[in-house]
Amino acid sequence: MTMTTTTSPTTTSPTTTSPTTTSPTTTSPTTTTPAVPWTTSDRSAVRARGDDVRAFPAALRSEWIKLASLRANRVILGLTAAVGALIAWVLATTATDPALTASELFIYPLPLIATLATVSGILLFTAEAQHGTLAGVLTARPARWVVVSAKTTLAAAVGLALGATGMVAGFGGAAAGGVDLGSGSALTSRALWALLYTGLAALIGLGVGMIARHSAGAISGLLMWSFVIESLFAPALPDGLVHVLPFSAGYRLLDAGSNFDPPVAIAHELARPLYALIFGGYAVASLALGAVLLYRRDTD
Amino acid sequence: MITVTGLTKRYGDRTAVDDLSFTVAPGRVTGFVGPNGAGKSTTMRMMVGLTRPDRGEVRYGDARYHELRHPARLVGAVLDARGAHPGHTARNHLRALAALSDIPVARVAEVLAAVGLESAADQRTGGFSLGMRQRLALAGALLGDPQVLLLDEPSNGLDPDGIRWLRTHLSAFAERGGSVFVSSHLIGELSMFADDLVVVGGGKLLAADTVAAITSRQVASIVVETPQPADLVRALTARGASVEATGDRLVVRGATKATVSDLAFEHGVRLLELREVAPSLEESLLALTGASAEFASA
């Protein structure tokens, strides 16, 4: 059935309430007209592809405001520093190998910090979906790829920030534990591989969050996979398959010397850049699937 | 002018919205009415691109929603009052929304003042009442100084003062030339400030017209009080009128006041009261939708 309104400017309901007959309890309705000078002349302007690209900085700024103004994110940053310092300090004070130095130990807390980065990446999206703010974001910016790009950039930045914080705190904790500082020659290379690890971990988290749209489900699923399923089933798998397990590959981005044992052993390891490609592949695949679902799914 | 044409949405075998077409005119408040489950929220979500229609389209002037460069500057939507992170303050929630649409941050203070949330601006929204959340959601919709407001059940959770404030606000917005499209299942509430109505039931359009036109579709009834109800009922039913009798009080449909008066005179029936009662909007809508149990009066 199709009908169309037959509204006329002259036909007004006798029951329409005039704004002068009832006064609002709070403030005058007229104050919604902006006093701040800015343009709304382009209200009906149709967007071009270039407009979406130009909208990216605004979307990123919006994401940053949300991230920076949430106390929980400051708690995660503080927790990262505490975990990094504590683990490195405990290992330094209990170390039996006199050759172990702070420039190796600072990497040891990174697997746990990568987990925090993954959780942060998940929450960047699932918190919006669960609290109903995603609808506001997508109505303001219907080009969903702009939103995905801004969130991806911010998730990577969060992963790098948490990684850097954990490593600085880890180095400090190890030094405080009394071990030698060690040689600085390999430190930069180790730190860069570790940053790649935590950055990609955060991106995988964001991708999984976009797919799952539910914080508890995404976090418990990823933790279960990372800490239980890969460890349990890897020994039964041939080397070729173990290479492509995501978190086993991720661990192997860490260059922390012979004392550092990843939870899943691989008899013949590949070169580190290949593991970077595998771990990065999971990040790209999860983000791509999440983006496709964001376009295809309805948003509550 | 918003033009909705042939909008259709199916979920499996169920058709939530079925070939819906209507317009929303500028300078007027258009109520979107229907029982629970009539497809109102789904329609409004399709109007801002959150739900993909299976068929049909919505145009704002000449453009579809997703084609707009800055949708928030044309359309302000309140579809879900819980749309704020409980850990964010009201101010930061609006700052993030303003940044997303390139709206100056100073506008945040203006809309907070407009909805009466200045004093709660730096409180976390997790502690907000439903009414405060509704106000915050409206502030978010007003950020871009839009020409169109789309509001889904905006009076939910508001106290009577809040409802009166909202009504005044929306009427003033329309008087300034804006289009207001507001859904509600509270007919009495809408009848107080809507100019036009779009009535839906089971996902289908039942009527789209002015409030006055929809109300006038129902015939008036005549209320009679008489000490001789049986005699008058006999006379009226013989003339083809329908009569509901409760003691000495009769509600007559299908006869004019003059006819009832003449019949009473002819049959020597004494009348204590004789008056015509215009149909209420609620009665008119219930007659349209036939779903009285799901409607509620304000």
Side-chain angles (χ1 to χ4, degrees):
Chain A
M1 179 202 261
T2 301
M3 290 180 70
T4 305
T5 48
T6 53
T7 55
S8 151
T10 56
T11 52
T12 307
S13 162
T15 55
T16 301
T17 308
S18 161
T20 56
T21 57
T22 52
S23 59
T25 53
T26 48
T27 181
S28 161
T30 56
T31 55
T32 54
T33 303
V36 181
W38 59 289
T39 179
T40 50
S41 60
D42 58 351
R43 277 178 173 135
S44 302
V46 171
R47 72 184 163 97
R49 191 166 291 274
D51 291 325
D52 292 341
V53 176
R54 281 187 288 277
F56 173 75
L60 190 58
R61 196 164 63 248
S62 175
E63 292 297 328
W64 169 249
I65 291 169
K66 285 185 274 191
L67 180 86
S69 59
L70 211 54
R71 191 166 51 186
N73 291 323
R74 293 195 288 275
V75 170
I76 288 179
L77 191 64
L79 196 63
T80 301
V83 163
L86 189 67
I87 290 177
W89 179 79
V90 168
L91 291 173
T93 53
T94 58
T96 52
D97 182 356
L100 205 57
T101 63
S103 64
E104 287 178 74
L105 276 174
F106 82 102
I107 291 292
Y108 281 49
L110 265 289
L112 208 53
I113 286 162
T115 303
L116 285 174
T118 309
V119 170
S120 296
I122 289 172
L123 292 175
L124 264 181
F125 190 88
T126 55
E128 297 239 50
Q130 285 191 263
H131 296 300
T133 52
L134 185 60
V137 170
L138 297 182
T139 49
R141 197 54 69 193
R144 282 151 168 73
W145 73 263
V146 176
V147 176
V148 173
S149 304
K151 284 192 180 294
T152 301
T153 306
L154 200 71
V158 166
L160 296 179
L162 293 182
T165 303
M167 283 190 282
V168 169
F171 194 86
V179 295
D180 285 345
L181 296 185
S183 157
S185 59
L187 194 134
T188 308
S189 161
R190 280 182 184 143
L192 290 175
W193 279 111
L195 285 177
L196 183 63
Y197 173 46
T198 55
L200 289 175
L203 292 181
I204 288 177
L206 176 62
V208 170
M210 288 166 68
I211 295 164
R213 287 197 169 193
H214 191 274
S215 304
I219 292 171
S220 58
L222 259 180
L223 293 183
M224 181 72 84
W225 179 272
S226 164
F227 289 118
V228 181
I229 295 178
E230 278 198 25
S231 305
L232 279 180
F233 293 104
L237 296 174
D239 255 15
L241 277 180
V242 178
H243 288 313
V244 295
L245 290 176
F247 292 99
S248 301
Y251 261 100
R252 281 168 175 79
L253 299 188
L254 296 176
D255 169 23
S258 55
N259 285 302
F260 185 77
D261 292 324
V264 176
I266 303 177
H268 306 288
E269 294 196 0
L270 304 174
R272 188 164 286 116
L274 284 176
Y275 285 118
L277 281 177
I278 293 168
F279 199 47
Y282 278 104
V284 171
S286 60
L287 285 170
L289 180 58
V292 168
L293 291 174
L294 188 61
Y295 272 92
R296 295 184 65 88
R297 281 173 175 162
D298 294 339
T299 302
D300 293 330
Chain B
M1 175 77 83
I2 308 171
T3 310
V4 176
T5 311
L7 216 52
T8 301
K9 179 68 182 179
R10 291 188 198 86
Y11 295 104
D13 294 339
R14 190 175 71 85
T15 303
V17 177
D18 190 359
D19 198 19
L20 202 56
S21 298
F22 58 87
T23 59
V24 178
R28 300 177 72 77
V29 176
T30 301
F32 191 29
V33 195
N36 292 328
K40 301 190 296 296
S41 294
T42 305
T43 301
M44 296 189 94
R45 287 181 180 282
M46 285 193 283
M47 291 175 78
V48 292
L50 293 176
T51 295
R52 290 153 60 101
D54 293 314
R55 208 172 60 239
E57 64 169 17
V58 182
R59 285 191 180 268
Y60 297 83
D62 294 327
R64 287 176 291 184
Y65 189 85
H66 69 271
E67 294 170 342
L68 295 167
R69 184 185 295 162
H70 293 295
R73 298 184 189 180
L74 181 69
V75 183
V78 178
L79 303 182
D80 185 356
R82 79 190 163 100
H85 192 293
H88 282 142
T89 64
R91 191 189 307 281
N92 284 333
H93 168 72
L94 294 173
R95 277 178 61 217
L97 280 180
L100 188 58
S101 296
D102 260 336
I103 295 165
V105 71
R107 179 77 180 135
V108 169
E110 290 177 15
V111 294
L112 280 167
V115 302
L117 279 180
E118 290 158 299
S119 59
D122 295 312
Q123 290 176 21
R124 288 197 172 80
T125 65
F128 277 17
S129 66
L130 185 54
M132 290 168 83
R133 285 169 180 274
Q134 289 282 20
R135 287 172 187 260
L136 180 61
L138 184 61
L142 293 171
L143 263 178
D145 187 28
Q147 287 181 325
V148 175
L149 280 180
L150 301 181
L151 310 165
D152 192 8
E153 303 277 359
S155 55
N156 275 357
L158 291 179
D159 57 22
D161 276 348
I163 291 173
R164 193 167 66 239
W165 165 83
L166 179 71
R167 201 166 59 219
T168 307
H169 207 106
L170 298 184
S171 296
F173 184 89
E175 284 193 357
R176 292 199 300 273
S179 305
V180 179
F181 187 58
V182 53
S183 83
S184 181
H185 64 284
L186 301 177
I187 301 164
E189 170 60 31
L190 268 185
S191 69
M192 295 179 75
F193 72 109
D195 303 308
D196 305 317
L197 287 179
V198 173
V199 187
V200 288
K204 291 177 187 290
L205 185 71
L206 301 177
D209 217 326
T210 62
V211 171
I214 286 177
T215 307
S216 68
R217 292 182 186 191
Q218 277 286 94
V219 293
S221 54
I222 312 296
V223 174
V224 185
E225 191 176 349
T226 170
Q228 303 151 266
D231 296 342
L232 190 55
V233 168
R234 240 187 331 271
L236 284 166
T237 48
R239 274 293 177 92
S242 74
V243 184
E244 289 172 33
T246 312
D248 291 349
R249 194 176 173 83
L250 310 179
V251 177
V252 184
R253 290 187 182 83
T256 64
K257 197 161 74 170
T259 308
V260 175
S261 174
D262 291 347
L263 280 173
F265 183 76
E266 285 169 19
H267 291 81
V269 173
R270 204 154 60 90
L271 298 183
L272 304 177
E273 182 186 3
L274 176 64
R275 64 186 165 88
E276 190 175 88
V277 178
S280 69
L281 179 61
E282 185 174 1
E283 287 170 331
S284 303
L285 290 176
L286 290 178
L288 273 172
T289 63
S292 57
E294 290 179 277
F295 270 118
S297 296

